[in-house]
Amino acid sequence: MKHIKIIIGVILGILLIVSGTFFFLKITQVKVEGGDIYSDQQIIASAMSDKYAYHTLYFLAKSKLGHVDCLPFVQEIDVEWDSPTGIVLHVYDKTISGCVKYMGQYIYFDKDGVVLQSLTEPMDGVPVVTGIKFGKFTMNEAFEVKDDTLFETIMNLSRLIRHYKVKVDQIKFDGRNVTLYSGKVEVYLGQKDFYDDDMAALASVLKKTRKKDLEGTINMENFTSGDRIILKTAGDTPADGTSDASDSQDADAQLTDQPDDGQTEGDSVEQ
């Protein structure tokens, strides 16, 4: 009987210690590292949204089980413990490939075409895809496109835009023909199996057009690696958006640093 009382006393003592630790040992400092989409305040508000989130033992158990709440554009949050009362939230964003406008909403998708979130306003730096007929949208599932080959083209272009860090506002489809819009510049790519050379060449060229606030059109329908990229000014642009060798040399000079050897600044990008 005496042993039972001792055991019960030990158990009660442990429970009191655990309870005291739970209610009195709390997280007082939260830092955020990584992540470019959301502010630190938004990340903290989401991760610490539970009633007991600031209790050290509760959040420790939750983080070990991988149950830290993430916002729609966050892939994962790793928790680092600086001290029993201080944590660092390491944020890893999802890769946003683009968005489509549907019934007044911007539907964002990742590199696999999975729908991430819908917003009323466009996000800066994310291209809007237009000219495509989509099926239904279901959150956390790949969006439906009537033509699977167009879906592959969208994903390929989105990957190249991210890889070469090309500043693109809109990807427009007219049938299978592709036109990009970057700032005040329209780039006609046409229909191709691969756009790797085009995007590699465009990266630094569009950076320069944005920096100089240039306006006009670029025709890359028949572009091959090493070709000169020529900007037609708005006043000289024909209605069909095509260009030829008679384009303004002044406009061309603003895009190329070495016009005599036929190289564009974009051509120097390694692929």
Side-chain angles (χ1 to χ4, degrees), residues 92-264:
Y92 301 92
D93 290 335
K94 291 180 179 178
T95 300
I96 304 176
S97 292
C99 70
V100 296
K101 193 172 183 180
Y102 181 74
M103 297 183 65
Q105 296 283 318
Y106 291 89
I107 314 297
Y108 291 86
F109 56 88
D110 67 9
K111 58 184 178 61
D112 298 314
V114 175
V115 177
L116 301 175
Q117 178 70 305
S118 64
L119 300 175
T120 56
E121 297 293 334
M123 291 177 62
D124 185 44
V126 180
V128 180
V129 179
T130 62
I132 297 291
K133 292 183 178 180
F134 295 93
K136 64 180 182 180
F137 295 99
T138 303
M139 208 64 66
N140 299 318
E141 294 183 10
F143 60 79
E144 297 180 3
V145 181
K146 294 184 177 180
D147 189 336
D148 289 337
T149 59
L150 289 180
F151 176 84
E152 294 175 3
T153 300
I154 295 171
M155 294 299 101
N156 182 43
L157 284 169
S158 298
R159 177 183 62 81
L160 292 170
I161 288 171
R162 293 195 312 274
H163 179 73
Y164 290 109
K165 298 180 181 179
V166 185
K167 301 294 184 181
V168 175
D169 303 315
Q170 182 185 163
I171 305 172
K172 179 182 177 180
F173 284 85
D174 183 4
R176 296 181 181 276
N177 294 310
V178 178
T179 301
L180 305 180
Y181 294 87
S182 176
K184 299 178 181 178
V185 175
E186 175 184 316
V187 183
Y188 182 70
L189 298 178
Q191 178 183 340
K192 301 179 182 181
D193 292 329
F194 304 100
Y195 295 90
D196 300 62
D197 291 341
D198 308 62
M199 302 309 294
L202 276 173
S204 56
V205 168
L206 292 181
K207 183 178 180 180
K208 182 172 287 189
T209 61
R210 280 179 174 265
K211 183 177 180 180
K212 293 178 176 291
D213 197 30
L214 301 178
E215 180 177 1
T217 60
I218 297 173
N219 187 345
M220 298 182 70
E221 182 177 15
N222 301 312
F223 176 84
T224 57
S225 182
D227 286 351
R228 168 185 284 181
I229 294 180
I230 299 173
L231 174 72
K232 283 185 70 76
T233 58
D236 296 332
T237 304
D240 62 1
T242 60
S243 65
D244 53 46
S246 64
D247 294 339
S248 167
Q249 293 301 309
D250 289 338
D252 178 45
Q254 297 176 81
L255 295 179
T256 58
D257 294 329
Q258 297 175 308
D260 293 336
D261 63 6
Q263 297 292 316
T264 71

Side-chain angles (χ1 to χ4, degrees), residues 2-16:
K2 183 178 180 181
H3 293 297
I4 295 176
K5 289 182 178 179
I6 292 173
I7 293 172
I8 293 174
V10 171
I11 293 174
L12 289 175
I14 292 173
L15 289 175
L16 286 173

